[in-house]
DNA sequence: GTGGTCTAGACCACG
DNA sequence: GTGGTCTAGACCACC
């Protein structure tokens, strides 16, 4: 796997795990229907607790990124990730708000901010790493 | 004060407080040199413990938003907030990354995302709420 | 632990704690990667409140002396303490200035002062106390 | 007067005042027998509270730097500042210790440290500002 | 009256 | 069991 964790970060490991897997999907390294390692094997691969991987998987399942079958294991949702809906849009706006408020305070212009976003977007639209 | 907290939120109160005050500065409701309520009065106003307010203030002080005088109380940094530097830019990019990864997965296009940002930006550039 | 506090001192306990731990690192009693007691166990060991220890640890973390892992506890920074930079030098000079001014007034010569410093330095370069 | 205060410093104003006056004596800007402004006039000159100046003066008096006559006002001790004694030496060593411990941790060598001290000493041995 | 420090005790997130 | 957060209430230094 391509998972890279920072065990010293203040960000909980299970959140980092979620982010890494979502990035993998965004970058098309993980395609709909692809299977993911089992909780057990992933946990041992990256050296974290079973519960931690489990928590990340559960959250990803609830958000529609993956399916967890008791026998077949874990797969990326074959039907793709649920599309953006209104509640997503609201949540996103709410989450971005503090970052933009800070940017305004620090004199970081709208153009610069958007440039930053575009650059990150471009990371995801290229193929491969 | 204009502070509005969601005590049910998973987001710690002191973080919400920071965000609210940063928004106040971004919206020019709070100008450089303006004084903020004392720890105790703000705490009693919004119905939280004095230490919670104190924690928010200390963090804001460290980030350069406010100054804390031992006796005179708390004021918005008269010299303005420190400008965006490289470490800020890096941190911002790192923070935005997961949101953009999720947006990509959900088919939320770059244009839509930027539109969302612009709308939030416009909130801060108008006067008043 | 080797921590020795003076509860009667005007110096806040959390500052004394910081100093003691920094001395421990300076004397190589604590090596990079060594783990420190948990907040709670140290607090109970030395008979102070958990928050007092926490405050000392947070400050030491911010100054780069230690790392705080959410679960694994507290360790001395495995990469060593950040080296002296210009801002450190300036701060040191600013802090020493009043002591030297007083020494000048009291007829304590430069040679005597330096001798005092050297003697303290020698405390840290030997092994053990 | 040559007093320069930083009202935003965490260091109490009365301590800053003491330091400035001690520096003045160390630099021979204030000579034994010279008179200092009254509490009232100094307070109004530098824009601080009467109590603050009073506290600084009282402490300076107790340390032997100045004399306070009810009528004649405040003068620099005509007999000079009490010479360094053992208790002074011990206190100095105790105060310097944390700075040296930090220096050791940061790889600031004894030579560099002494160089820093010498430079500060040289500030005081020149005449005038 | 202000912020700074300390105590005591509670609940939660994390692994 | 670990640190993170929050509350409640106390005393002190400062001005």
């Amino acid at each position: 796997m391509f998972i890279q964790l920072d065990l010293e970060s203040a960000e909980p490991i299970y959140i980092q795990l979620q982010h890494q897997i979502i990035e993998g999907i965004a970058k098309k390294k993980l395609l709909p229907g692809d299977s993911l390692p089992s909780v057990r094997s992933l946990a041992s691969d990256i050296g974290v607790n079973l519960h931690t991987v489990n928590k990340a998987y559960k959250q990803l399942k609830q958000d529609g990124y993956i399916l967890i079958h008791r026998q077949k294991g874990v797969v990326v949702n074959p039907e793709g990730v649920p599309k953006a809906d209104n509640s997503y849009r609201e949540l996103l706006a709410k989450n971005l708000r503090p970052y933009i408020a800070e940017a305004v305070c620090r004199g970081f212009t709208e153009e610069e901010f958007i440039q930053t976003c575009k650059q990150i977007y471009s990371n995801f639209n290229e193929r491969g790493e």
Side-chain angles (χ1 to χ4, degrees), chain A:
Chain A
M1 285 288 283
F2 47 82
I3 305 290
Q4 282 222 347
L5 301 177
D6 175 4
L7 298 180
E8 292 169 11
S9 163
E11 194 162 41
I13 295 175
Y14 83 97
I15 299 278
Q16 293 184 47
L17 248 176
Q18 282 179 51
H19 286 167
Q20 294 278 317
I21 292 171
I22 292 175
E23 282 202 17
I25 298 175
K27 285 187 175 167
K28 314 267 194 280
K29 288 192 207 169
L30 293 172
L31 298 172
D34 279 5
S35 63
L36 271 68
S38 71
V39 170
R40 219 168 278 276
S41 74
L42 180 52
S44 99
D45 264 23
I46 59 183
V48 303
N49 194 293
L50 282 180
H51 297 353
T52 307
V53 176
N54 205 25
K55 189 162 187 176
Y57 273 2
K58 269 189 185 164
Q59 187 64 46
L60 287 168
K61 175 188 171 192
Q62 186 178 337
D63 294 343
Y65 288 96
I66 63 175
L67 302 181
I68 305 180
H69 293 87
R70 209 174 287 274
Q71 307 301 341
K72 289 192 284 177
V74 181
V75 298
V76 178
N77 190 338
E79 304 180 357
V81 181
K83 292 305 165 195
D85 59 7
N86 275 334
S87 75
Y88 165 75
R89 268 181 273 267
E90 280 173 26
L91 183 60
L92 176 65
K94 189 179 154 201
N95 287 332
L96 290 179
R97 201 175 164 81
Y99 292 109
I100 293 180
E102 183 179 6
V104 170
C105 290
R106 292 191 184 278
F108 200 65
T109 67
E110 190 174 317
E111 287 69 35
E112 287 174 297
F113 194 93
I114 288 173
Q115 203 50 45
T116 303
C117 294
K118 282 187 178 172
Q119 194 178 334
I120 300 170
Y121 251 99
S122 72
N123 283 171
F124 292 112
N125 289 330
E126 300 159 359
R127 284 304 176 282
E129 178 76 282

